[in-house]
């Protein structure tokens, strides 16, 4: 009678192959065949292999290493050969079993089979431990771990296959009975296979021949591909979202709680802040682990469950991405601040804003004599929503040990220590905590809630606690550990984050908009990935509509762009006093041209045309040294020419004549009479290309030439910079670097600029201009405004260069 011999994992869960010295190779081939049969039987992605080959150094199972080529499959990482590595793997398996028993099975399910039948998408994969040449490579501690796996592994879905020579002595403390209990035993003696069973007489077994290397490789590669495709787990967002009649139904008076995922087979895991020590949260996981999805689920679901009177968001993203852009585009009513691809300086301004709110709430609580949000709401009608500060990649605050990092550390520490009493909570997200070296460890210690996604063992210790490596065992995107015990191991709760498509999120946000109706709630949006738009500026719009306020005697106020802070705009003021000029330096001609065009437009909007320099209003001098083949040649000149104002365009051809005219105006105004006269705005581009404006070498020595002693253009320019601002003649000059600046203006003339606008440049140029290398770190859409008399340095986003059609329309609007 010939019948199949099957290994039943549900009831047996263990295989022991015993061989003599002559049959080791044959036994290893059978083991490979059985492992391969197991891989092809259990559905792809539902099995994890732990292969240990201390004698063969991995050669005996080398064909299975093709599984490791599929990073997303996570079926096999490598073949373990060192005793310490084998011990680590056995430790990881026992920790996994401990988690399965205490978190998944408990007293509800007898085996992992029963649990998986209910768990559906988040069914727990099986583990298969294979030990070749047992007990080689096993330390005493590893043997103790193996005993636990043999005793309880089957219930937890951890199965063992052991290959051994019975002639070798078992480790001390491990008996034959314990090793073989409940296992299927096969014996190979001189090439003959038998089934060893205490219930049956010896039975002959014909083992199937292992496949050749080519077939093994083909099968293993196909399994790896299938496993990679099946690894994605998507618990639907509907598992945690409210029904239509439950929207905006939750109160945050007592605490903030919101479901974010599935824990166990049927339970919803709730994210909770506001009670006891669970006031702030730390979320961390490597790239692709699901951190961004978790933040989106948290924000969107809170917006669905709670009204803007219950919770409001301050969203700051330091990543080079646009994670939070949807909340600005959809005008999420809960979001007070949305920062997209934020700068450290903007993040600091958000902390300053929250620090002001913290003090305001503290004063109101003291006035009413209350201790918490619930008591405050009972005492007055003000809803006082909870504040949720969410910072993604928060460690960017602390990558440099500079004043920004120091102030951010101080403000963040104050928020996490004092915010709990006033309903203000911080959620800090990061891929790794290695870069947060300047953040006080005591601040991280205040993070009562820790959510760890896939990460290394070292990061697991940083995210959770020094004795909690549990996050290293997480194997798929969206799988996480929720810990509300400050990271202590007893607080671990594994769960799966729900999945939400972008379209689904947008639909939910549209529903939130509908719930909000026509109620207007202010929202500040910082878009760090794009330049500022001149057409969107409020004062520019007023100027084009004929509603701009006229410039007063205090000077001409010109906006340069949007600040990297929660503020209205970055402004430059050209005051009628010495030094009332502006110097632009940097390697971005588009940004410089846009700032000059914006200044020209705003000045024209504030001051009417002046027919002569002695009439009230504005006259413009444009000194243009750009070559005809320059990318932006003529752009500024054509816009200036379209304005209703008098524009003097100065070039190599008419330099002497126009500079002499400027000198005459300056001379006429040197009488000290302060009557209403035209403001003269002098804009300069590429002045170094105009030879007669350059500093002459003979100015530094004695000249014996017969040159006529009339006013030279370079000296007129120097006089204009020195004496012009006090009599209403202001200059804004752009140079692409300090080399060309020095070629055109000497040191004395360079000191006549109280305000400097810097774009991207070298560290040496930055240090020469403002005594700091700050401008060397500027990106494409960034600038610095330096005001010398106050020593302030303000970072901003310069205007994008408007297209010619818009500039023409703007000039036509001013003409009307």
């Amino acid at each position: 009678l010939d019948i199949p011999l099957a290994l039943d994992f549900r009831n047996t869960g263990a295989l022991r192959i015993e061989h003599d010295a002559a049959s080791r190779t044959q036994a290893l081939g059978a083991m490979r065949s059985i492992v391969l049969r197991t891989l092809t039987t259990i559905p792809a992605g539902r099995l994890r292999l732990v292969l240990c080959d201390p004698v063969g150094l991995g050669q005996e199972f080398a064909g299975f290493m093709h599984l490791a080529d599929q990073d997303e499959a996570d079926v096999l990482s490598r073949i373990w050969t060192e005793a310490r590595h084998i011990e680590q793997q056995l430790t990881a398996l026992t920790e996994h079993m401990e988690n399965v028993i205490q978190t998944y099975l408990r007293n509800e399910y007898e085996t992992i089979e029963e649990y998986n039948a209910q768990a559906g998408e988040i069914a727990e994969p099986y583990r298969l431990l294979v030990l070749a040449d047992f007990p080689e490579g096993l330390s005493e501690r590893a043997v103790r771990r193996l005993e636990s796996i043999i005793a309880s592994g089957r219930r937890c879905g951890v199965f063992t296959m052991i290959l051994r020579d019975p002639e070798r002595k078992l480790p001390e403390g491990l008996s034959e009975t314990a090793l073989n209990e409940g296992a299927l035993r096969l014996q190979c003696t001189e090439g003959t296979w038998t089934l060893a069973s205490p219930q049956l007489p010896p039975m002959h077994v014909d083992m199937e021949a292992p496949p050749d290397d080519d077939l093994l490789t083909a099968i293993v590669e196909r399994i790896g591909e299938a496993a990679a495709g099946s690894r994605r787990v998507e618990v639907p967002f509907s598992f945690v979202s409210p029904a239509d009649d439950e929207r905006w139904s939750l109160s945050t008076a007592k605490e903030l709680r919101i479901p974010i995922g599935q824990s166990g087979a049927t339970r919803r895991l709730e994210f909770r802040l506001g009670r006891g020590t669970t006031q702030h949260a730390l979320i961390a996981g490597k790239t692709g682990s699901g951190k961004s999805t978790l933040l989106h689920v948290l924000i969107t679901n809170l917006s669905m469950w709670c009204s803007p009177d219950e919770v409001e968001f301050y969203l700051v993203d330091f990543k080079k991405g646009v994670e939070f852009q949807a909340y600005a585009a959809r005008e999420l009513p809960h979001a007070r601040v949305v920062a997209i691809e934020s700068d450290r300086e903007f993040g600091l301004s958000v902390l300053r804003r929250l620090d002001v709110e913290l003090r305001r709430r503290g004063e109101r609580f003291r006035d009413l004599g209350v201790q918490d949000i619930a008591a405050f709401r009972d005492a007055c009608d003000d809803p006082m929503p909870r504040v949720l500060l969410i910072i993604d990649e928060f460690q960017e605050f602390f990558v440099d040990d500079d004043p920004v990092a120091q102030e951010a550390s101080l403000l963040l520490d104050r928020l996490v220590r004092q915010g709990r009493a006033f309903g203000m909570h911080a959620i800090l997200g990061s891929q790794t905590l290695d870069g947060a070296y300047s953040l006080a460890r005591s601040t991280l210690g205040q993070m009562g809630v820790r959510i760890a996604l896939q990460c290394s063992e070292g990061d697991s210790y940083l995210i959770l606690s020094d004795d909690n490596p549990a996050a290293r065992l997480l194997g798929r995107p969206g799988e996480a550990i929720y810990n509300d015990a400050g990271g202590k191991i007893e607080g671990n709760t594994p769960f799966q984050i729900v999945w939400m498509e972008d379209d689904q999120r947008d639909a939910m946000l549209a529903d939130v908009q509908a719930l909000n109706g026509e109620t207007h709630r202010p929202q500040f949006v910082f878009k760090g990935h794009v330049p500022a738009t001149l057409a969107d500026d409020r004062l520019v719009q007023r100027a084009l509509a004929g509603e701009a306020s006229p410039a007063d005697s205090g000077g001409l106020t010109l906006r340069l762009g949007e600040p990297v802070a929660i503020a209205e705009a970055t402004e430059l003021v050209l005051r009628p006093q010495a030094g009332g000029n502006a110097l632009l330096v940097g390697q971005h001609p588009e940004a410089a041209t846009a700032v000059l065009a914006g200044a020209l437009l705003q000045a024209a909007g504030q001051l009417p045309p002046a027919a002569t320099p002695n009439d009230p209003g504005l006259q413009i001098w444009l000194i243009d040294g750009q070559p005809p083949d320059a990318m932006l040649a003529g752009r500024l000149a054509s816009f200036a020419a379209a304005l209703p104002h008098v524009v003097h365009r100065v070039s190599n051809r008419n330099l002497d004549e126009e500079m002499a005219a400027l000198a005459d105006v300056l001379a006429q105004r040197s009488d000290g009479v302060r009557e209403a006269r035209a403001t003269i705005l002098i804009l300069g581009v590429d002045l170094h290309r105009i030879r007669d404006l350059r500093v002459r070498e003979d100015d530094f020595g004695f000249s014996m030439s017969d040159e006529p002693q009339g006013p030279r253009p370079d000296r007129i320019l120097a006089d204009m910079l020195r004496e012009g601002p006090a009599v209403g003649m202001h200059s804004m000059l752009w140079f692409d670097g300090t080399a060309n600046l020095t070629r055109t203006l000497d040191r004395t003339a360079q000191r006549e600029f109280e305000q400097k606008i810097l774009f991207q440049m070298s560290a040496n140029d930055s240090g020469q201009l403002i005594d700091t290398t700050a401008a060397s770190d500027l990106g494409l859409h960034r600038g610095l405004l330096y005001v010398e008399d106050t020593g302030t340095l303000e970072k901003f986003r310069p205007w994008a260069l408007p297209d010619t059609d818009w500039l023409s329309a703007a000039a036509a609007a001013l003409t009307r």
Side-chain angles (χ1 to χ4, degrees):
L1 178 65
D2 293 332
I3 59 174
L5 176 62
L7 175 62
D8 183 0
F9 281 107
R10 290 182 177 87
N11 297 310
T12 303
L15 174 69
R16 308 290 178 259
I17 295 181
E18 301 171 359
H19 63 86
D20 55 20
S23 305
R24 177 178 178 274
T25 300
Q26 188 176 1
L28 282 167
M31 180 69 85
R32 287 193 295 271
S33 179
I34 294 170
V35 172
L36 185 63
R37 176 69 69 182
T38 305
L39 281 169
T40 57
T41 302
I42 296 178
R46 295 296 187 186
L47 180 67
R48 306 282 185 268
L49 291 181
V50 180
L51 304 181
C52 302
D53 184 18
V55 175
L57 300 181
Q59 182 59 44
E60 307 302 345
F61 301 105
F64 293 100
M65 282 303 296
H66 293 287
L67 291 168
D69 296 340
Q70 296 284 346
D71 292 337
E72 295 184 359
D74 201 31
V75 177
L76 176 69
S77 55
R78 63 171 298 159
I79 300 167
W80 307 102
T81 61
E82 294 286 338
R84 60 189 179 90
H85 292 152
I86 294 173
E87 181 181 326
Q88 289 172 358
Q89 293 303 307
L90 296 181
T91 300
L93 283 174
T94 53
E95 289 177 0
H96 165 73
M97 290 165 50
E98 177 184 324
N99 179 56
V100 167
I101 291 172
Q102 297 185 24
T103 305
Y104 300 151
L105 303 183
R106 298 183 176 178
N107 61 346
E108 300 176 61
Y109 307 101
E110 179 60 30
T111 66
I112 198 69
E113 286 288 334
E114 295 180 16
Y115 168 82
N116 283 347
Q118 296 291 323
E121 280 279 355
I122 63 169
E124 189 63 31
Y126 299 108
R127 268 72 173 173
L128 178 60
L129 170 64
V130 179
L131 297 173
D133 298 302
F134 178 82
E136 188 70 31
L138 292 183
S139 65
E140 183 178 347
R141 293 180 61 182
V143 171
R144 302 284 80 81
R145 298 287 186 180
L146 180 60
E147 283 185 291
S148 298
I149 294 171
I150 292 173
S152 304
R154 184 185 63 79
R155 183 177 181 227
C156 302
V158 179
F159 310 122
T160 59
M161 294 184 182
I162 295 177
L163 181 76
R164 61 179 290 243
D165 184 349
E167 296 297 323
R168 298 193 61 180
K169 184 179 179 181
L170 289 176
E172 186 175 349
L174 181 63
S175 65
E176 289 279 354
T177 303
L179 177 65
N180 296 324
E181 184 176 2
L184 177 69
R185 293 175 58 203
L186 293 175
Q187 295 176 334
C188 186
T189 305
E190 297 182 356
T192 301
W193 290 89
T194 57
L195 174 64
S197 172
Q199 289 85 22
L200 298 171
M203 301 177 70
H204 176 73
V205 177
D206 290 324
M207 298 296 294
E208 67 176 1
D212 58 40
D213 288 343
D214 290 341
L215 180 57
L216 174 67
T217 300
I219 294 174
V220 167
E221 287 179 345
R222 182 68 187 91
I223 291 170
E225 294 171 3
S230 67
R231 187 164 170 252
R232 189 181 186 90
V233 172
E234 296 182 359
V235 177
F237 182 70
S238 58
F239 184 74
V240 298
S241 62
D244 291 347
D245 59 348
E246 294 178 313
R247 294 178 179 180
W248 285 14
S249 62
L250 285 185
S251 169
T252 61
K254 300 294 185 183
E255 64 175 332
L256 184 152
R257 58 186 179 89
I258 200 74
I260 57 173
Q262 180 177 350
S263 176
T266 57
R267 295 188 300 274
R268 293 199 304 188
L269 183 125
E270 288 190 337
F271 177 86
R272 308 180 75 164
L273 293 178
R275 284 206 171 188
T277 60
T278 57
Q279 301 294 329
H280 312 285
L282 179 65
I283 301 174
K286 66 182 182 181
T287 303
S289 62
K291 175 169 61 67
S292 295
T293 299
L294 173 57
L295 293 178
H296 285 307
V297 167
L298 181 62
I299 295 167
T300 304
N301 210 27
L302 261 174
S303 303
M304 296 290 290
W305 280 98
C306 303
S307 73
D309 290 336
E310 297 293 337
V311 63
E312 60 186 22
F313 301 121
Y314 289 74
L315 308 176
V316 180
D317 182 9
F318 283 123
K319 284 194 305 188
K320 301 301 180 185
V322 290
E323 289 294 343
F324 294 151
Q325 185 172 2
Y327 307 112
R330 293 287 180 175
E331 297 181 356
L332 179 67
H334 304 69
R336 295 292 174 266
V337 172
V338 180
I340 304 164
E341 200 173 310
S342 177
D343 291 46
R344 299 166 69 233
E345 291 82 358
F346 184 83
L348 180 59
S349 75
V350 174
L351 292 179
R352 289 171 178 163
R353 168 70 67 90
L354 290 175
D355 193 55
V356 172
E357 176 66 12
L358 182 69
R359 298 176 188 276
R360 185 187 74 85
R361 291 192 175 200
E363 293 171 359
R364 297 206 62 190
F365 275 44
R366 282 191 295 272
D367 291 343
L368 293 174
V370 296
Q371 299 292 327
D372 54 30
I373 289 286
F376 179 91
R377 293 184 183 180
D378 291 339
C380 69
D381 295 332
D382 189 341
M384 188 69 78
R386 288 187 182 269
V387 171
L388 215 55
L389 168 65
I390 301 178
I391 307 178
D392 198 8
E393 303 304 333
F394 78 95
Q395 79 281 355
E396 289 295 319
F397 261 138
F398 312 104
V399 292
D400 295 319
D401 192 9
D402 58 5
V404 173
Q406 293 163 11
E407 186 178 355
S409 179
L410 177 67
L411 294 176
L412 192 56
D413 186 70
R414 183 182 299 157
L415 176 65
V416 300
R417 289 181 184 277
Q418 301 178 16
R420 62 182 298 271
F422 309 118
M424 302 181 71
H425 312 283
I427 299 177
L428 307 180
S430 176
Q431 292 182 14
T432 176
L433 299 187
D434 284 345
Y437 59 86
S438 61
L439 176 63
R441 304 306 295 180
S442 58
T443 303
L444 287 178
Q446 297 291 323
M447 301 290 146
V449 175
R450 313 287 178 94
I451 301 180
L453 296 98
Q454 282 178 287
C455 61
S456 66
E457 183 172 350
D459 275 343
S460 180
Y461 289 129
L462 290 173
I463 298 163
L464 297 173
S465 66
D466 294 339
D467 62 345
N468 192 351
R472 80 186 195 281
L473 301 176
L474 300 174
R476 62 174 178 262
E479 189 179 14
I481 290 175
Y482 183 90
N483 187 301
D484 57 3
K488 295 179 181 179
I489 197 167
E490 59 266 26
N492 288 352
T493 302
F495 75 104
Q496 180 70 34
I497 302 164
V498 296
W499 174 250
M500 180 173 58
E501 298 281 357
D502 290 348
D503 292 344
Q504 187 179 18
R505 179 194 62 207
D506 292 343
M508 293 291 181
L509 295 179
D511 291 344
V512 172
Q513 270 187 314
L515 287 171
N516 188 58
E518 299 298 323
T519 304
H520 175 69
R521 302 176 189 272
Q523 183 183 88
F524 190 95
V525 180
F526 177 79
K527 299 178 180 179
H529 61 300
V530 294
T533 305
L534 185 62
D536 293 340
D537 184 73
R538 179 175 55 85
L539 294 187
V540 169
Q541 292 173 349
R542 290 186 60 194
L544 297 181
E547 302 171 355
S549 301
D552 57 27
S553 58
L556 197 59
T557 300
L558 307 174
R559 293 190 170 193
L560 307 176
E562 295 182 359
V564 182
I566 302 177
E568 181 69 19
T570 298
E571 294 181 340
L572 174 145
V573 182
L574 298 177
R575 295 186 175 87
Q577 62 186 34
N581 303 304
L583 177 65
L584 291 78
V585 185
Q587 300 165 357
H588 289 309
E590 276 200 33
T593 304
V595 168
L596 292 175
L600 186 56
L601 173 60
Q602 295 172 77
Q606 295 176 49
L607 295 171
T612 70
N614 294 322
D615 296 327
L618 174 70
Q619 280 203 348
I620 301 159
W621 258 263
L622 176 59
I623 307 176
D624 191 353
Q626 288 182 308
D629 60 347
M631 180 178 65
L632 300 175
R635 178 76 69 91
L636 192 61
S638 63
F639 172 55
L643 294 172
H645 298 67
V646 176
V647 178
H648 301 265
R649 186 174 182 186
V650 186
S651 63
N652 271 309
R653 297 177 181 178
N654 62 353
L655 180 67
D656 292 338
E657 175 187 346
E658 293 294 344
M659 295 303 290
L662 268 179
D664 290 342
V665 175
L666 181 62
Q668 293 173 12
R669 299 189 178 192
S670 61
D671 54 13
V673 178
R674 292 189 173 276
E675 59 185 21
R677 297 180 289 203
T679 296
I680 306 295
L681 183 61
I682 304 167
L683 305 180
V685 180
D686 282 352
L687 270 62
H688 65 281
R689 296 183 182 275
I690 303 177
R691 182 180 298 274
D692 288 343
L693 288 180
R694 298 178 188 169
V695 175
R696 302 197 181 188
E697 294 182 3
D698 59 12
D699 284 350
F700 299 96
F702 296 98
S703 174
M704 303 299 292
S705 67
D706 295 330
E707 180 182 344
Q709 297 301 308
R712 293 194 331 228
D714 61 316
R715 290 179 175 171
I716 295 174
L717 178 61
D719 292 342
M720 192 67 55
L721 295 174
R722 183 178 63 255
E723 302 172 11
V727 292
M729 304 175 73
H730 305 282
S731 299
M732 294 183 68
L733 311 181
W734 171 64
F735 298 89
D736 60 2
T738 57
N740 287 327
L741 169 64
T742 305
R743 187 175 290 125
T744 309
L745 303 176
D746 60 24
R747 295 284 183 183
T748 302
Q750 291 179 34
R751 287 197 292 269
E752 300 301 329
F753 296 92
E754 283 289 333
Q755 299 171 101
K756 296 182 177 71
I757 301 165
L758 278 62
F759 306 110
Q760 180 73 44
M761 62 181 61
S762 68
N764 184 55
D765 282 3
S766 178
Q768 184 176 332
L769 290 167
I770 58 174
D771 294 328
T772 174
T773 61
S776 64
D777 297 327
L778 294 174
L780 178 61
H781 305 304
R782 297 294 185 273
L784 287 176
L785 172 62
Y786 175 72
V787 182
E788 189 167 335
D789 60 347
T790 60
T792 57
L793 195 64
E794 182 179 351
K795 195 173 185 181
F796 69 98
R797 292 188 300 135
W799 304 122
L801 184 60
D803 59 45
T804 54
D805 291 341
W806 186 86
L807 287 174
S808 299
L814 290 176
T815 302
R816 289 194 298 272

